[in-house]
Amino acid sequence: MKKRAPFIMMLVLLFSLCLGSISAFANGMDEVKYIEIPPSDKAGMKKVWSKMGTDGEYLKVEFKLTSGNESSDKRILVYDEANGVIKFNSKNFDDATDKSRKKALGIFVDALQNSPVSLQTQQNIINTMSTANEEVSKLLVPLLMDTAKADVYTAMRWVKPIIPVIQVIFGIGAVIISILLIGSTVIDLVFIGLPIAREAILDNRSEKSGRVKFISSDAEAVIKEVESSLADNTGRYKNAYLTYFKRRALTYIILSICLLYLVMGELGNLIAWLLSLGEGVVS
């Protein structure tokens, strides 16, 4: 089944609405609009037409009592398979009741979107109809919105069973990241602010890599910058804590996101999951 593209269709409709008012007078004289189907899409269009009932009976509409339309052919669309042409009857569409034309157009659009017909040809059909009759555009917008909502609903039905598992995994990840970032910040501040602790930590520096364990590279860089500013004798002293927090801005943005995620209710889901595990052990 061909993937639906309601949002792309809606963009086409917006463009058609702009053109509709400009070309309304010129198209008003044409009761029937012809839309050519490329050879590569004729087979697909044949399948679409086969879903319109016997000789397109599903595309028949009821005329308004005030329309004065006495045509025996009440279809808004006809597919001429021999010539590979769709005939859109704009007058029948105008004279039809809102309920009947919405139903007929909805059946056609739904079949078209779920057909092998190329997206480019689908857009051309919708665009030509919308340009020929401005009312088509106005009617198709809610139809395509309903299609988009249906797609979202179908996707949610597939995703919904695993959402609790995803929430728990994200919750655990957020807790772990928050603990690591907060712990790293505390150790870095102790390293920066307490010379005695700094000396003790530097004594345990790795002989191979020269790195200090449990201390971030930002904290080490801050100490070097501050000591360098003191050695310059220029009077431009750098505040160690301010310099450190500037370097760690991205870290605190990530921490804020994790904390916000937990505060917005995911912590409750995580606790409920842990309690459910506890109930299983007890029982």
Side-chain angles (χ1 to χ4, degrees), residues 201-262:
I201 294 173
L202 289 174
D203 289 339
N204 294 322
R205 186 193 298 267
S206 173
E207 295 181 359
K208 293 182 179 179
S209 63
R211 291 292 308 277
V212 181
K213 293 181 179 180
F214 309 116
I215 301 298
S216 68
S217 58
D218 290 327
E220 290 188 72
V222 166
I223 293 299
K224 292 179 181 179
E225 286 186 28
V226 172
E227 291 177 348
S228 177
S229 66
L230 292 173
D232 288 343
N233 294 323
T234 58
R236 297 180 61 185
Y237 171 72
K238 289 187 176 182
N239 185 291
Y241 295 112
L242 183 59
T243 305
Y244 174 76
F245 285 123
K246 285 181 178 179
R247 283 178 167 269
R248 301 283 281 183
L250 179 60
T251 299
Y252 296 122
I253 291 174
I254 297 173
L255 178 61
S256 299
I257 293 173
C258 291
L259 293 176
L260 181 63
Y261 180 79
L262 293 173

Side-chain angles (χ1 to χ4, degrees), residues 48-62:
V48 174
W49 184 247
S50 67
K51 296 179 181 179
M52 299 299 104
T54 305
D55 200 22
E57 62 179 337
Y58 296 161
L59 300 179
K60 291 182 178 180
V61 293
E62 297 177 4

Side-chain angles (χ1 to χ4, degrees), residues 84-134:
V85 174
I86 291 177
K87 300 175 183 178
F88 170 60
N89 195 315
S90 183
K91 179 171 176 53
N92 281 1
F93 188 87
D94 279 332
D95 294 341
T97 61
D98 291 339
K99 183 179 179 180
S100 65
R101 67 184 181 184
K102 181 179 181 181
K103 180 180 178 181
L105 190 60
I107 292 173
F108 175 74
V109 170
D110 184 66
L112 182 64
Q113 289 183 331
N114 288 282
S115 71
V117 177
S118 67
L119 184 58
Q120 183 177 358
T121 300
Q122 291 186 34
Q123 291 176 358
N124 180 51
I125 295 171
I126 297 297
N127 187 39
T128 303
M129 290 169 55
S130 302
T131 305
N133 192 312
E134 189 177 350

Side-chain angles (χ1 to χ4, degrees), residues 159 161-172 261 266:
V159 175
I162 64 173
I163 285 179
V165 178
I166 295 175
Q167 288 176 331
V168 170
I169 293 174
F170 278 24
I172 293 174
Y261 180 79
E266 301 310 319

Side-chain angles (χ1 to χ4, degrees), residues 12-194:
V12 174
L13 283 179
L14 291 175
F15 179 72
S16 300
L17 280 170
C18 295
L19 292 179
S21 57
I22 299 174
S23 57
F25 177 78
N27 292 319
M29 302 299 292
D30 299 329
E31 292 186 0
V32 179
K33 189 72 175 179
Y34 295 86
I35 309 170
E36 293 186 8
I37 303 300
S40 58
D41 284 323
K42 287 183 178 180
M45 197 62 225
K46 183 178 179 180
K47 292 182 179 179
V48 174
W49 184 247
S50 67
K51 296 179 181 179
M52 299 299 104
T54 305
D55 200 22
E57 62 179 337
Y58 296 161
L59 300 179
K60 291 182 178 180
V61 293
E62 297 177 4
F63 294 137
K64 300 173 186 175
L65 296 177
T66 57
S67 67
N69 193 329
E70 299 179 356
S71 173
S72 58
D73 187 356
K74 297 183 178 182
R75 296 171 297 180
I76 59 171
L77 281 169
V78 176
Y79 177 55
D80 184 349
E81 185 180 342
N83 297 315
V85 174
I86 291 177
K87 300 175 183 178
F88 170 60
N89 195 315
S90 183
K91 179 171 176 53
N92 281 1
F93 188 87
D94 279 332
D95 294 341
T97 61
D98 291 339
K99 183 179 179 180
S100 65
R101 67 184 181 184
K102 181 179 181 181
K103 180 180 178 181
L105 190 60
I107 292 173
F108 175 74
V109 170
D110 184 66
L112 182 64
Q113 289 183 331
N114 288 282
S115 71
V117 177
S118 67
L119 184 58
Q120 183 177 358
T121 300
Q122 291 186 34
Q123 291 176 358
N124 180 51
I125 295 171
I126 297 297
N127 187 39
T128 303
M129 290 169 55
S130 302
T131 305
N133 192 312
E134 189 177 350
E135 294 300 317
V136 174
S137 297
K138 295 178 181 178
L139 192 58
L140 276 175
V141 170
L143 285 175
L144 292 177
M145 284 294 292
D146 290 341
T147 301
K149 289 177 182 177
D151 289 342
V152 172
Y153 175 75
T154 303
M156 287 302 297
R157 286 185 60 188
W158 285 95
V159 175
K160 188 175 181 180
I162 64 173
I163 285 179
V165 178
I166 295 175
Q167 288 176 331
V168 170
I169 293 174
F170 278 24
I172 293 174
V175 170
I176 293 173
I177 292 173
S178 299
I179 292 173
L180 291 176
L181 293 181
I182 293 172
S184 173
T185 299
V186 170
I187 296 173
D188 283 350
L189 293 177
V190 170
F191 177 78
I192 292 172
L194 298 177

